[in-house]
Amino acid sequence: MNISIHRPTFVTHLECSMTEERYEADRLHGLSRAGRPLLVRYDLAAAGAAVARDAIEARPTDLWRWRELLPVRHTASIVSLGEIETPLIPIPHSAGGNVLVKDEGRLPTGSFKARGLVMAVAMARELGVTRIAMPTNGNAGAALAAYASRCGIETIVFCPEDTPEINVREIAMQGARVWRVNGLIDDCGAIVGRGAAEGRWFDFSTLKEPYRIEGKKTMGLELAAQLGWELPDAIFYPTGGGTGLIGMWKAFDELEALGWIGPKRPRMYAVQASGCAPIVRAFEAGEEHAERWEDAHTVAAGIRVPRAVGDFLILRAVRQSGGKALGVGDPAILKAVDDCARRDGLLLCPEGGATLAAYREALRTGEVDAEERVVLFNCATGLKYPMPAAPNTLDRHAPIDFDAL
Amino acid sequence: MNISIHRPTFVTHLECSMTEERYEADRLHGLSRAGRPLLVRYDLAAAGAAVARDAIEARPTDLWRWRELLPVRHTASIVSLGEIETPLIPIPHSAGGNVLVKDEGRLPTGSFKARGLVMAVAMARELGVTRIAMPTNGNAGAALAAYASRCGIETIVFCPEDTPEINVREIAMQGARVWRVNGLIDDCGAIVGRGAAEGRWFDFSTLKEPYRIEGKKTMGLELAAQLGWELPDAIFYPTGGGTGLIGMWKAFDELEALGWIGPKRPRMYAVQASGCAPIVRAFEAGEEHAERWEDAHTVAAGIRVPRAVGDFLILRAVRQSGGKALGVGDPAILKAVDDCARRDGLLLCPEGGATLAAYREALRTGEVDAEERVVLFNCATGLKYPMPAAPNTLDRHAPIDFDAL
């Protein structure tokens, strides 16, 4: 990666995702006055004149190759931990020959949250933020802690009390102050909101600052470049807050505006756990917004998000794409994780397992067919999650029955 | 990655690392008749005529860009899980401005063992092996399980009884049969050796088959390419079996024979834990071989290797390079891991922490100076290792004292 060169941004302004009201760039923003996420807008004509698709391809493959489509104005603001392009891995035995897993577990701190947070922290630094708070189910907090600690920004993180131990410890190891809260992620978000309203810190909740989505959209940019500027037929995306799905959908529009891809879009499948499926319920009911899901529970903690501030953006993208919102049960998730590890040697996180489970079900119902090119997102390394015990022991001092091994 | 093209190999033969006796390529081999590791030799003149340095640079950056310097004859033998080029990450706050960490935790199964095993499994498959056994401290077993399961090779893995739980579970999840043994890695190796002698399986112990070293040498090839074909002044490498150190040293010679680098070599520092430091003891005593270390103990389980079959190759490379073998204590290792996570946002594994601890000590004694370009190897993701508890809790129903957060 070469981040030492000057990197102009082509940002023109920010825009309310609901009302299209304009907001000035280079200022600190949270939600819009309508209480909705802000989207970053670029002068894409100028960006396209400044850089060609071929020039992008000639650059090192990390996230910063997309700099003309990213909001960071000063190279010195970037706090990098090596945001590599994540590989696409076939899983022929557990899914079929046309399915690729985009393995986001290879990013810093082991999850796709690094994409959003590397961007949001760079912008926070650029705009003078010195104290950040965030609610998290684990991985976002770890990414925030890593990037913020690296540049001396103070961080306070709140997570549900049953967040996996490894996530909480990782956040603390990486220099954040972390608190377990007796509630779910939106309960944690309420605490962050109160502190932000009192001016104690800047609120880094999903979609409540405008730049995480710009980092996450690089998943869509990368996918286009990796697949020869031909998007897949379908994308299965584990959907909690939905930043990545919204971001990819935005990225595809930007790529088409640049003339780098055509009008073809993948069908976007928003995958949720059936124990916490507000987007699925709203999709099926034909609603534009999703009500809070009560009594949320699933082994896939990362998508245990009862209420998403970007609900309408997720639903809009899914519908425009001709995709669906799909719910899968915990047994199917665990079975998918197990099959993929055992037969394809790839250890998915439960949320990644959910996409495989949803793909299998979609194949069974004819929603997708086996000939279609499909990408599943594995959003984190499977190593962060509980695995079944392996209890076999052998006494080296006793006679060994080799036939029984 | 494009692995669908035909990939000729330039292997001419194998050679005993002690006696230089020649062995035929394309046959299954263990140790040489002298009981020493075999090294793979190439027709480097022909390889250099077939591919230029610029052509390598134009290829995708994964491990397979180096195919002319690798032993795999048939593309179809390759079982890939996305062997990306690992990033070099500065750690200015915990080490200084000229130190880069090569973060091998980004590889499949989260460790540098993937490099060796992707190569060894491909060659085993090419040569018709159907059953493999291995002793492991954890990470090698996980990599073997993943690649072998993916191509239907049966695997049996033996690990010391106190191997971290996550490693044992990961190995089992990825389809291997795994046994905890009341002993250390060489005790496990003795069991594998007995089964191999009875023809029950092929022995995949470190350096007992010739191809893991060829995979590991790609660390040296990558480093050269990433640093503009100018090797660093010093490399700190966590040394158990030493395959990577031996492999890099071999890679540098091959690169020089190709004319792609000059004669400059880094000083190679073999880093061990002071609770298991057979190479350090042999280095300091001026010995060519290292005696078994009794009562081995260290938090850095991956380098708890009491006896290395390639001991003389490690010692030879270290001495030729003008480097040293260095021992560091567990407190310094844990302190280094903590500092690097807290101040630079990079969570090292304990073995990676050992290299940082050794670098700091070397800086203190004047063995290296702060102006020198240094590379530390973080051989696995820090997420596989125990972290201190983070016990803070907050009751969302009670009044929150924001000033105390």
Side-chain angles (χ1 to χ4, degrees), chain A residues 81-82 84 89-90 93 106 150 169 177 180 182 200 344 387 392 394-396 402-403 405, chain B residues 81-82 84 89-90 93 106 150 169 177 180 182 187 200 344 387 392 394-396 402-403 405:
Chain A
L81 285 163
I84 60 154
I89 303 173
H93 305 105
R106 309 296 191 82
R150 193 169 169 90
R169 292 182 182 209
R177 295 206 299 285
R180 289 179 186 275
N182 51 345
R200 295 177 177 275
D344 285 307
M387 290 181 266
N392 293 341
L394 196 66
D395 179 1
R396 71 187 171 96
F402 279 93
D403 290 324
L405 291 180
Chain B
L81 285 164
I84 60 153
I89 303 173
H93 305 104
R106 309 296 191 84
R150 193 168 168 90
R169 292 181 181 211
R177 296 205 298 285
R180 288 179 185 275
N182 51 346
D187 300 310
R200 294 177 178 274
D344 285 308
M387 289 180 266
N392 293 342
L394 195 66
D395 180 0
R396 71 186 171 98
F402 279 93
D403 290 324
L405 292 178

Side-chain angles (χ1 to χ4, degrees), chain B residues 16-351:
Chain B
C16 173
S17 56
M18 181 88 104
T19 66
E20 298 184 16
E21 186 186 5
R22 285 174 71 105
Y23 291 77
E24 210 174 324
D26 302 313
R27 293 264 183 102
L28 211 55
H29 293 292
L31 292 175
S32 73
R33 270 175 286 268
R36 295 296 166 180
L38 290 173
L39 299 176
V40 181
R41 296 301 180 195
Y42 299 82
D43 181 348
L44 293 172
V51 66
R53 206 174 75 171
D54 290 355
I56 298 271
E57 286 188 310
R59 292 177 181 170
T61 51
D62 65 66
L63 182 148
W64 303 104
R65 81 185 327 193
W66 303 103
R67 53 190 176 259
E68 286 85 357
L69 301 177
L70 297 175
V72 181
R73 199 171 292 276
H74 304 290
T75 300
S77 307
I78 295 174
V79 189
S80 174
L81 285 164
E83 296 72 29
I84 60 153
E85 180 179 273
T86 57
L88 289 170
I89 303 173
I91 48 168
H93 305 104
S94 56
N98 289 311
V99 177
L100 297 168
V101 172
K102 193 154 170 67
D103 189 8
E104 297 281 298
R106 309 296 191 84
L107 288 162
T109 71
S111 89
F112 69 162
K113 299 288 184 181
R115 293 185 189 270
L117 272 309
V118 74
M119 205 61 59
V121 168
M123 292 305 295
R125 192 182 185 199
E126 194 155 288
L127 299 172
V129 172
T130 57
R131 203 158 187 251
I132 294 171
M134 177 196 268
T136 182
N137 281 325
N139 284 325
L144 170 62
Y147 288 112
S149 295
R150 193 168 168 90
C151 65
I153 294 177
E154 196 183 354
T155 47
I156 303 99
V157 172
F158 302 91
C159 52
E161 60 189 343
D162 59 353
T163 300
E165 187 64 26
I166 189 171
N167 292 109
V168 184
R169 292 181 181 211
E170 182 191 8
I171 293 167
M173 274 292 281
Q174 291 167 180
R177 296 205 298 285
V178 55
W179 301 83
R180 288 179 185 275
V181 177
N182 51 346
L184 293 179
I185 190 168
D186 55 352
D187 300 310
C188 297
I191 296 169
V192 171
R194 280 173 55 195
E198 292 179 15
R200 294 177 178 274
W201 51 55
F202 187 64
D203 185 343
F204 248 46
S205 303
T206 303
L207 294 174
K208 287 194 181 164
E209 67 72 56
Y211 300 108
R212 278 170 71 178
I213 193 174
E214 294 303 297
K216 281 284 193 71
K217 87 177 178 193
T218 60
M219 292 189 291
L221 302 173
E222 271 182 24
L223 207 49
Q226 287 177 297
L227 296 176
W229 309 99
E230 177 82 27
L231 297 177
D233 298 307
I235 289 176
F236 286 71
Y237 188 81
T239 306
T243 319
L245 192 149
I246 300 165
M248 283 194 280
W249 198 246
K250 182 172 186 284
F252 299 151
D253 284 348
E254 292 173 358
L255 288 173
E256 189 181 0
L258 286 162
W260 296 359
I261 62 168
K264 181 193 162 185
R265 292 290 182 279
R267 301 195 305 282
M268 305 294 282
Y269 292 98
V271 178
Q272 301 203 300
S274 42
C276 181
I279 300 296
V280 177
R281 186 170 58 189
F283 177 82
E284 290 176 352
E287 306 283 353
E288 200 193 343
H289 290 277
E291 274 181 58
R292 185 175 197 274
W293 188 276
E294 301 302 326
D295 302 318
H297 60 91
T298 167
V299 292
I303 51 175
R304 197 181 53 176
V305 177
R307 179 163 43 195
V309 65
D311 53 359
F312 65 108
L313 297 172
I314 301 167
L315 287 160
R316 197 184 288 171
V318 166
R319 288 183 176 125
Q320 283 179 5
S321 76
K324 283 188 175 166
L326 301 170
V328 287
D330 282 1
I333 291 174
L334 294 172
K335 175 78 164 61
V337 169
D338 189 67
D339 279 355
C340 191
R342 199 168 296 280
R343 300 169 62 198
D344 285 308
L346 183 62
L347 187 61
L348 303 173
C349 64
E351 298 78 13

Side-chain angles (χ1 to χ4, degrees), chain A residues 333-370:
Chain A
I333 291 174
L334 294 172
K335 175 78 164 60
V337 169
D338 190 68
D339 279 356
C340 191
R342 199 167 295 281
R343 300 168 63 197
D344 285 307
L346 183 63
L347 187 62
L348 304 173
C349 63
E351 297 78 14
T355 67
L356 175 54
Y359 170 76
R360 287 168 160 188
E361 178 63 11
L363 199 60
R364 199 186 61 76
T365 60
E367 176 68 31
V368 295
D369 74 57

